[in-house]
Amino acid sequence: MTGQQIPGVQGVGGADRRFKEALAAGRFDIQRCRSCGSHFFYPRVICPHCGGSEIEWVAASGRATVHSTTTVRRKAEQGGDYNVCIVELDEGPRMMSRVDGTPSDDVRIGMRVSASVAGAGDGAFVVFHVDGRDAQQEGAR
C-alpha cells in the first residue's frame, strides 16, 4: 500500500505513515527491533530499548490485558459514557484505546481483551473487546 494516497495521511511521514497505512488496510501492526527483539508502540525510527535502527513491522497478536481504565461521562444526547483504557499488549508495549461492546463501568484492570481495527480508511483505529472467558465471568457477577 506504500505510495498510495490515503486521505488524512498526507503530511504524515515515516513510521507513523506506515502504521496508518496498515490500519487503513485493516491490519494492526507494531514494530520489533531486530537488534534486541523488543516490541514497541507508538511507531518510531529508533528502538527505545537499545537505540537500534534495524526495525521491522510485525502483526500484533491482538491479545492484551487492561492495565488501567476510566469512564468518560457524557449526556446520552452526546453519545453517552465511554471507556478509555491503557492496555498492555502480550508483546509488551502499552497503548491507549477503548474497550467496545461492554458497559464502560464493567471494564476492569486485569481483564483480557482482543484487538480489532474499527473504522475505515484514514479513520481506522484500534479498539479492544472483552475475551469470551472474561465476558462470561463478568456476566456471572
Side-chain angles (χ1 to χ4, degrees):
M1 179 167 238
T2 303
Q4 180 181 351
Q5 292 287 331
I6 299 175
V9 179
Q10 295 172 351
V12 175
D16 285 331
R17 180 180 190 89
R18 168 60 177 77
F19 177 70
K20 289 178 181 286
E21 287 175 345
L23 287 179
R27 295 188 322 272
F28 174 32
D29 293 345
I30 59 174
Q31 293 174 294
R32 178 174 56 205
C33 176
R34 289 184 179 148
S35 298
C36 71
S38 296
H39 292 85
F40 51 93
F41 182 84
Y42 60 90
R44 304 168 194 197
V45 295
I46 300 291
C47 174
H49 302 281
C50 74
S53 60
E54 292 187 39
I55 307 301
E56 64 183 340
W57 287 92
V58 296
S61 70
R63 305 267 303 138
T65 302
V66 175
H67 178 75
S68 67
T69 182
T70 191
T71 299
V72 177
R73 303 282 182 202
R74 294 189 303 185
K75 295 178 182 178
E77 60 269 14
Q78 295 175 324
D81 297 347
Y82 66 95
N83 164 270
V84 175
C85 63
I86 295 177
V87 299
E88 184 168 316
L89 302 173
D90 283 1
E91 293 86 353
R94 292 180 182 163
M95 68 180 294
M96 184 178 288
S97 186
R98 69 179 193 226
V99 176
D100 281 353
T102 300
S104 56
D105 288 335
D106 291 346
V107 177
R108 301 280 181 248
I109 293 171
M111 185 177 273
R112 294 292 293 164
V113 292
S114 295
S116 65
V117 176
D122 67 320
F125 55 97
V126 178
V127 297
F128 290 84
H129 301 272
V130 176
D131 280 353
R133 188 173 59 210
D134 277 342
Q136 291 171 357
Q137 290 171 353
E138 281 300 310
R141 289 185 185 180

